[in-house]
Structures are given as structure tokens and as C-alpha cells.
Amino acid sequence: MAEIGKDIEKAQQLLRSGELVAMPTETVYGLAGNAFHPAAVAHIFKVKNRPAFDPLILHTDRLEKVKQFVRDFPPIAEQLAQAFWPGPLTLLLPKSEQIHDIVTSGLDTVAVRIPQHPVSRNLLEGLDFPVAAPSANPFSYISPTTAQHVNQHLGTKIPYILDGGPCTVGIESTIVGFPDGIPTVFRKGGLKIEAIEGIIGKVQVNTHSSSQPTAPGMLNKHYSPKVPMFIGDIPKLLAEYEEKSVGVISFQQAYLGESPLQFTLSKKGDFAEAAQQLFAALRALDTLAPDVIVVELLPEQDLGIAINDRLRRAAVQ
Ligand code: TXA
Ligand code: MG
């Protein structure tokens, strides 16, 4: 398995020499490689078993650096960057010549983010290149929110996992692009849409084109456990699957008492706490491997919007 540790210099050395390292961010753990090193980027796709049509996000620590990677930084994008970076926001901007096509899967835009986690900030500060970093999970499986999650699936494929503890946000960044100058959310995530609209006014939301996805995080099946998962009214689903072993993921209320198959995301009804717990609960249940997992949607507000998006994509359609 990979070595898990807190040695930032070691992680930087590995990245400089073209190796991959898992790094913590406040959203989920990323599988990082030198974005200016095409072989390292190609290796990311291989380790994740990710199709080459699914582009990567560049991560760096300063806005001045981001400006070197893009041809244009429209004022409306800059307003968002000023308001929410470092943080769980990814911007899609026209890429500069410097960015290799392998990073963007040939698209004319590049995804960029300045993460907030202190460990990733220290790591990125000391590098003279951005890192390309998708979530550190096998393609279409549940994103990792601890170093141990990364080790479970990618441990034999990478040398080092930088441990920054459990992720505080727990779901991926919100992705915003500007097609024809119109601010558009392409992935609902850890930055609330209300917060974005508080800065730039009404935005479009376009997270459901599945045939020709602009962001394959938009693909309908994603973030999926191996155990079949069903969404609905939990008491009804429990009655329906009475003959089977059933795991439950619910928001505030426990339906299986103290059973280890019961995961309550936030007893006090806190959306941020629920987001933080979500992927760990899905992974834990997938490992316990009941016959089915049943879940309920959260109220469609606050981070409930992004949580419900992940649950719908993870469920059997
Ligand atoms: O929170 C996050 O964003 C995490 C952490 C590690 O930063 N990263 C992450 O990366 O979730 P990934 O690769 O798992 O998801 C990135 C999404 C994909 O759905 C990809 O298709 C989309 O971003 N994407 C990347 N570049 C794009 C581009 N130029 N245009 C449209 N979508 C893009
Ligand atoms: Mg991902």
C-alpha cells in the first residue's frame, strides 16, 4: 500500500520528479500530478481508469498564477475568484497555450481552483507548476474524504498519500463556466448556488446533459457504490426489502436504531455536517455490503442541493 504521511517536502519532491501524490483538499482528496508534465498527467488517467475525454482541474495557490494559465479572465469570473478563493469553487476559463491538451481533453477551456485546505496550500505554494488533480478514486466510484479512503483503492498505484485528516466540506467543488458570457453552474458542489448568486446575481444551472457532457461529473451514473442503492421514503423501502439485509442513509432520523447499517448524516439537521459525512457513509455501507442501500433525499436547499445531486447519480436509475 502507499505510504501515508504529513511530509509536504516529500510530496513536492515526488511531484517535481513526475510522480503522483494524493493530496487533501477541503472538498475531497485529489490525485495530483505535475500539470506541465504530460506523462504525469497521462499517468493520472491510467491510475483512475478515467476516460481521456474527461478533463482535469488545475490547482494552484495564487490568483496571479491562475492568470498565466488562461487567455481571458472576465470581470464576473474575477468577482467570484475574489469572493470564494481559496475555496470549493472551480472556474472554467479559456485556456492559454501553456496548458497541454491532455489536461483539458482537447477543450478550449481549462478548469482551475485554488483550494483552501492548509496542507494543499503549503504544498502548492512551494511548486512552480500547477497540479492537475481529479478526485482520488477509481473512475465513477465514490470520492475519498480521508487518506484511508484513497489507500483502499489507489494504494498500490501511487507512492505517497499526504494526510490532511478528514475533508471538512466533503463534496466536490462547485464548477462555474461562462459560455457566451453567461455564468453557468456545471456541477453543484460545496459552494452554495445562493452564495454565488449573492455576488453576481442569477446564474444558469446546467448539470444534466448526459449525451455530450461538458463536464462528465454530469454523467448520470457517477459516485456509485457497488451495492444497489434506492432513493425514496425509507419506511416504505424498508417494507419493500423486508426479506433482504438493508443499509440506511438518512438525514436526521435513524430508522434502524443502533444498527451498524444505519448512517444518520446529521442528527441536528445541519447541511454542512451531512455533506461532510456523505461519502464516508456510502463507502462504509458499500464495505459492509448489505443486499441493498436505501436513502432519502434532503430538503432541496443549501448544501442539500449538491448532496441530492450526488445521491441521484449514485442510485440505481
Ligand atoms: O473538489 C474538487 O473539484 C476535487 C478536488 C480534488 O479539487 N476535484 C474533482 O475533480 O472533483 P474531478 O476530476 O473528479 O472532477 C472534475 C470535473 C469533471 O466532471 C470534469 O469533467 C470537469 O470537472 N471538468 C474539468 N475540466 C473541464 C472543462 N474544461 N470543461 C468542462 N468540465 C470540465
Ligand atoms: Mg471525481
Side-chain angles (χ1 to χ4, degrees), residues 28-31 44 47-50 134-144 149-150 153-154 172 222-224 283:
V28 300
Y29 275 69
L31 175 62
I44 293 177
V47 164
K48 269 189 70 93
N49 198 16
R50 179 178 177 118
S135 51
N137 51 290
F139 183 66
S140 92
Y141 194 63
I142 306 156
S143 297
H149 290 166
V150 178
H153 289 102
L154 303 186
E172 300 85 349
H222 219 84
Y223 314 104
S224 302
R283 279 176 176 260

Side-chain angles (χ1 to χ4, degrees), residues 26-311:
E26 71 279 16
T27 57
V28 300
Y29 275 69
L31 175 62
N34 179 346
F36 289 166
H37 193 309
V41 178
H43 197 196
I44 293 177
F45 283 93
K46 186 160 179 235
V47 164
K48 269 189 70 93
N49 198 16
R50 179 178 177 118
F53 64 74
D54 192 356
L56 306 177
I57 300 176
L58 292 188
H59 297 70
T60 190
D61 65 305
R62 292 209 327 266
L63 191 54
E64 303 84 82
K65 290 190 187 169
V66 173
K67 289 188 173 166
Q68 297 165 11
F69 313 145
V70 303
R71 285 199 312 277
D72 183 29
F73 209 128
I76 199 164
E78 182 135 7
Q79 275 180 283
L80 291 178
Q82 295 290 357
F84 300 117
W85 276 349
L89 169 71
T90 293
L91 295 176
L92 303 178
L93 297 167
K95 83 174 187 74
S96 72
E97 294 265 303
Q98 209 184 359
I99 306 303
H100 202 284
D101 277 343
I102 190 173
V103 173
T104 63
S105 303
L107 294 176
D108 186 47
T109 54
V110 63
V112 282
R113 174 162 110 82
I114 299 181
Q116 188 177 35
H117 195 294
V119 172
S120 50
R121 296 191 73 186
N122 288 340
L123 175 81
L124 296 168
E125 239 169 48
L127 299 174
D128 57 7
F129 51 84
V131 301
S135 51
N137 51 290
F139 183 66
S140 92
Y141 194 63
I142 306 156
S143 297
T145 54
T146 65
Q148 291 68 32
H149 290 166
V150 178
N151 211 17
Q152 196 186 351
H153 289 102
L154 303 186
T156 57
K157 299 179 175 171
I158 57 175
Y160 197 61
I161 301 172
L162 194 53
D163 191 354
C167 300
T168 52
V169 174
I171 44 179
E172 300 85 349
S173 60
T174 302
I175 300 182
V176 181
F178 307 89
D180 303 318
I182 300 165
T184 307
V185 170
F186 286 102
R187 180 174 69 183
K188 297 167 181 171
L191 178 65
K192 290 179 252 181
I193 293 178
E194 296 95 306
I196 293 172
E197 293 188 330
I199 301 289
I200 59 168
K202 205 79 191 136
V203 296
Q204 294 219 356
V205 179
N206 174 19
T207 58
H208 278 286
S209 86
S210 57
S211 55
Q212 190 63 14
T214 317
M218 300 159 78
L219 289 171
N220 279 340
K221 190 153 172 64
H222 219 84
Y223 314 104
S224 302
K226 296 187 193 76
V227 176
M229 185 172 118
F230 299 93
I231 298 177
D233 177 70
I234 291 181
K236 276 194 197 143
L237 288 166
L238 286 174
E240 193 174 326
Y241 295 109
E242 200 177 19
E243 310 284 303
K244 298 188 183 276
S245 67
V246 183
V248 170
I249 299 180
S250 52
F251 184 30
Q252 289 186 258
Q253 193 186 334
Y255 296 88
L256 301 178
E258 299 290 302
S259 162
L261 293 174
Q262 166 69 49
F263 287 80
T264 312
L265 295 178
S266 174
K267 286 201 174 92
K268 55 179 194 281
D270 181 282
F271 289 101
E273 182 182 35
Q276 199 183 12
Q277 299 300 320
L278 177 69
F279 288 149
L282 280 170
R283 279 176 176 260
L285 268 181
D286 209 25
T287 305
L288 290 167
D291 297 326
V292 295
I293 299 172
V294 302
V295 303
E296 63 185 4
L297 293 176
L298 276 63
E300 197 70 23
Q301 67 191 71
D302 201 279
L303 288 178
I305 294 173
I307 294 170
N308 289 345
D309 171 86
R310 302 301 185 272
L311 289 174

